[in-house]
Amino acid sequence: MAQEDPPRGGGRPAPEAATTADPGSRPDLLGRIAAPLAAVNRAPLTSYHVVMVVTCLLTVIGLGMVLSSSNVLAFSGGGTPFDIFLRQTLFVLIGWVGFLVALRTRIELVRKAAFPLLLVAIVLLVAVLIPGVGMEVNGSRGWIDLKLFAIQPAEIAKFAFIIWASSVVAKRMRTGYWLDLLFPAEVGYGVIAAPGDAAPGLGRATAVPCACVCLLWSAGSPARHFLLVIALGVVVFAVSAVAFAYRFERIRTFLDTFVGDFSNPQGSAYQSYQGMLSLADGGLFGVGLGQSSAKWFYLPEATNDFIFAIIGEELGWFGAAVVVSLYLALGWAGMRIALRSVDPFRRLLAGTVTASIVLQAFINIGYVVGLLPVTGLQLPLISNGGTSAVVTLTSLGLLANCARHEPEAISAILSSPARHRRRWYSLPEPRPYRPGRPVPASDTPGRSSAGTRRYGEPGARPPAARPARAPRQARGASPAPAYESIPIPGAAARDRRGATAVTGRTARTVRGREAEDRQRRSPAAPPDSGTRQAPGAGRPSPIHRSRER
């Protein structure tokens, strides 16, 4: 037989197991990627950290894009290229103060301040309609001029409505009757939305309805009622669009843009057309930060409504994808907070705040790319707008507050070693949730406001009367036997409340039960057959058994 040549270099031949690929020994790439993500998801403070990081990143990106898109406009107005940027930076700092205040505020105080804040928002909305007080910009009457700066009451009204409606609906979530979920919230929505529909401005007529729809979705309204509210909102939106000529023109422009009809690019479709050109010029990687050509008065509202087009032009598709990913991460964190919260108010507040911010962001992105009609809603934390920045950062502060009150987050914070090293700037310790008293139900089913239909007994019952203390026994007397009660299925079925009935008919003394258990566990004594047994054994040994045979 021919002998195989040894390998060169004097090395030993490689074993067969090393040359043959073993499918079981291959590294699991998906497992290595999913393991850190699963560990992050299991961390108790993941939601809080994601909200903080995403808020910081969106704020930094927003300030950078405002500086890039506004320097030409600020310089053409006779000032320095940094005027608009510095003013936006001031409002962002005020918004971060509101973020920290909302993060440190107890949720009970937030609920108490909901109704007064709603009244202030209504007064501001009515003041916009007063000539000389309200200010009209680009055909939209939605600002109040305070000489030094202007505020937008629609943003304040949306914030106040979310807090108040979440507080009202949270008290009625246990009743199970849908009128109690819709009636108070819809009345408040009508009071807030009426001044917004009366004044010109499609953004005002869109912000509050979006918040109301997000609230009903977070409250878990039935699908048929949810669709009914959406259909009613579409009808009201169509009527308000027909009532004002400029709104109808925007709807018609959207329909033309959606099918790619730019036959009149210098008319009402000019802004949408320029926005699409900016996105097309950006490509994958963009033309570079600060190198946009659309901000040279080609694209109207480049610093505000259409700032996403500037992002797509300067940072390209990848930069726009990063911004979209940040909003998606914020939506995931907010829904995670809402699902893990045990307090109904925090659950509704977290879900509504998250859904309203993310929905507003995607509405803005949608009309920039031509998928939705232009409504004037700003891109949260990125567009140039002082009131929007302050209100959005304060809302995210409440969201971070809710994140610190998740059950696992409370346990992690209270058991942390750093708890004993508190400083003056440390955040207050979170308090566990204690359910409050629900809204009382009426005897007449189907009634709302005064009471509601009950589906079972309420979750919080009044404390039962304490039983009378048994008399003290005399010294030296034998103690009374302790009893345990066993539920009877028949008695439980006869109980109309559905509670487990506990009676004493089947009660046995604990001592008697323990004696029976010991007797059952001990080996049975063998019958007396006259044979000898091994000492200490309970039955005959094998030797004695063989002798018997």
Side-chain angles (χ1 to χ4, degrees):
M1 297 178 59
Q3 188 176 4
E4 295 183 358
D5 296 336
R8 296 182 180 180
R12 296 181 180 179
E16 185 180 358
T19 57
T20 306
D22 186 8
S25 62
R26 295 177 182 176
D28 189 2
L29 182 60
L30 294 179
R32 291 184 178 182
I33 296 176
L37 296 179
V40 170
N41 188 33
R42 288 193 302 266
L45 291 174
T46 295
S47 303
Y48 174 74
H49 294 152
V50 170
V51 171
M52 296 292 291
V53 171
V54 171
T55 304
C56 293
L57 291 177
L58 287 177
T59 304
V60 172
I61 294 174
L63 289 177
M65 295 312 302
V66 167
L67 175 62
S68 175
S69 61
S70 66
N71 49 12
V72 176
L73 180 63
F75 185 75
S76 64
T80 65
F82 306 101
D83 286 348
I84 298 178
F85 166 74
L86 293 177
R87 184 176 58 189
Q88 181 68 12
T89 303
L90 177 62
F91 280 108
V92 167
L93 292 178
I94 297 174
W96 273 103
V97 172
F99 182 96
L100 296 178
V101 170
L103 181 60
R104 301 178 64 91
T105 304
R106 294 293 181 187
I107 207 68
E108 295 81 8
L109 183 60
V110 175
R111 299 188 70 168
K112 292 180 180 179
F115 187 70
L117 186 60
L118 184 69
L119 295 179
V120 172
I122 295 174
V123 171
L124 292 177
L125 288 175
V126 175
V128 173
L129 304 177
I130 301 176
V133 179
M135 184 175 60
E136 186 173 346
V137 178
N138 296 331
S140 177
R141 191 181 185 89
W143 285 264
I144 295 179
D145 189 9
L146 300 179
K147 304 303 180 183
L148 295 178
F149 55 91
I151 62 174
Q152 192 174 7
E155 295 288 338
I156 302 175
K158 181 184 68 173
F159 176 69
F161 173 76
I162 289 175
I163 298 178
W164 173 80
S166 299
S167 177
V168 171
V169 175
K171 295 178 182 178
R172 292 164 169 79
M173 288 184 65
R174 299 183 186 180
T175 59
Y177 193 50
W178 66 273
L179 277 181
D180 263 355
L181 295 179
L182 290 180
F183 183 73
E186 291 302 319
V187 170
Y189 162 71
V191 174
I192 291 291
D197 292 335
L202 196 56
R204 295 183 59 192
T206 309
V208 180
C210 290
C212 182
V213 170
C214 294
L215 174 70
L216 296 178
W217 178 74
S218 302
S221 299
R224 59 183 185 276
H225 304 145
F226 189 71
L227 295 177
L228 178 63
V229 171
I230 293 179
L232 181 61
V234 170
V235 172
V236 173
F237 181 81
V239 171
S240 62
V242 175
F244 295 93
Y246 80 98
R247 292 181 180 177
F248 181 75
E249 189 66 23
R250 285 187 177 182
I251 300 298
R252 192 178 64 84
T253 302
F254 157 69
L255 296 177
D256 294 340
T257 305
F258 189 77
V259 297
D261 183 11
F262 293 101
S263 58
N264 187 19
Q266 299 298 324
S268 58
Y270 176 77
Q271 190 176 24
S272 300
Y273 181 66
Q274 293 295 329
M276 290 189 176
L277 290 180
S278 301
L279 291 173
D281 291 341
L284 287 178
F285 302 100
V287 298
L289 188 62
Q291 303 300 320
S292 171
S293 59
K295 65 183 178 182
W296 290 85
F297 305 106
Y298 289 102
L299 177 62
E301 298 296 330
T303 64
N304 198 341
D305 298 347
F306 275 73
I307 196 171
F308 187 77
I310 305 298
I311 294 175
E313 183 181 5
E314 294 186 351
L315 304 181
W317 184 88
F318 288 102
V322 169
V323 173
V324 173
S325 301
L326 290 177
Y327 284 114
L328 290 177
L330 180 62
W332 171 79
M335 293 300 106
R336 187 176 186 268
I337 295 169
L339 292 175
R340 295 195 172 200
S341 298
V342 295
D343 184 1
F345 174 67
R346 288 191 178 95
R347 187 186 310 131
L348 288 178
L349 184 63
T352 308
V353 166
T354 304
S356 61
I357 292 177
V358 176
L359 182 61
Q360 179 177 339
F362 281 100
I363 288 177
N364 179 277
I365 296 172
Y367 70 69
V368 168
V369 300
L371 296 178
L372 293 173
V374 179
T375 59
L377 289 179
Q378 300 172 338
L379 193 61
L381 296 181
I382 294 182
S383 294
N384 176 32
T387 309
S388 176
V390 173
V391 171
T392 305
L393 285 172
T394 306
S395 303
L396 291 174
L398 291 177
L399 183 62
N401 192 345
C402 296
R404 295 184 73 246
H405 285 81
E406 295 178 6
E408 297 180 358
I410 294 176
S411 301
I413 293 174
L414 296 183
S415 61
S416 175
R419 179 188 177 189
H420 305 287
R421 300 191 299 269
R422 297 183 57 83
R423 301 293 186 269
W424 62 270
Y425 52 83
S426 300
L427 295 175
E429 294 181 354
R431 298 177 182 176
Y433 166 65
R434 295 180 179 179
R437 192 171 184 177
V439 176
S442 65
D443 297 331
T444 306
R447 297 292 179 86
S448 182
S449 297
T452 56
R453 182 183 302 172
R454 291 189 297 178
Y455 294 89
E457 293 295 316
R461 297 185 180 181
R466 298 181 62 182
R469 180 177 295 181
R472 182 176 297 179
Q473 297 180 357
R475 181 177 298 179
S478 58
Y483 288 89
E484 71 172 2
S485 298
I486 302 176
I488 301 177
R494 290 192 299 269
D495 190 5
R496 60 184 180 87
R497 295 177 301 175
T500 303
V502 178
T503 63
R505 288 188 294 166
T506 58
R508 296 179 299 160
T509 59
V510 176
R511 296 176 182 174
R513 181 176 61 82
E514 294 178 352
E516 293 177 3
D517 293 342
R518 286 195 300 268
Q519 185 176 2
R520 191 181 302 111
R521 288 193 299 266
S522 61
D528 189 8
S529 58
T531 58
R532 295 182 59 186
Q533 298 182 1
R539 56 182 180 178
S541 63
I543 301 177
H544 292 86
R545 286 201 300 270
S546 62
R547 290 178 180 178
E548 286 186 75
R549 291 194 295 269

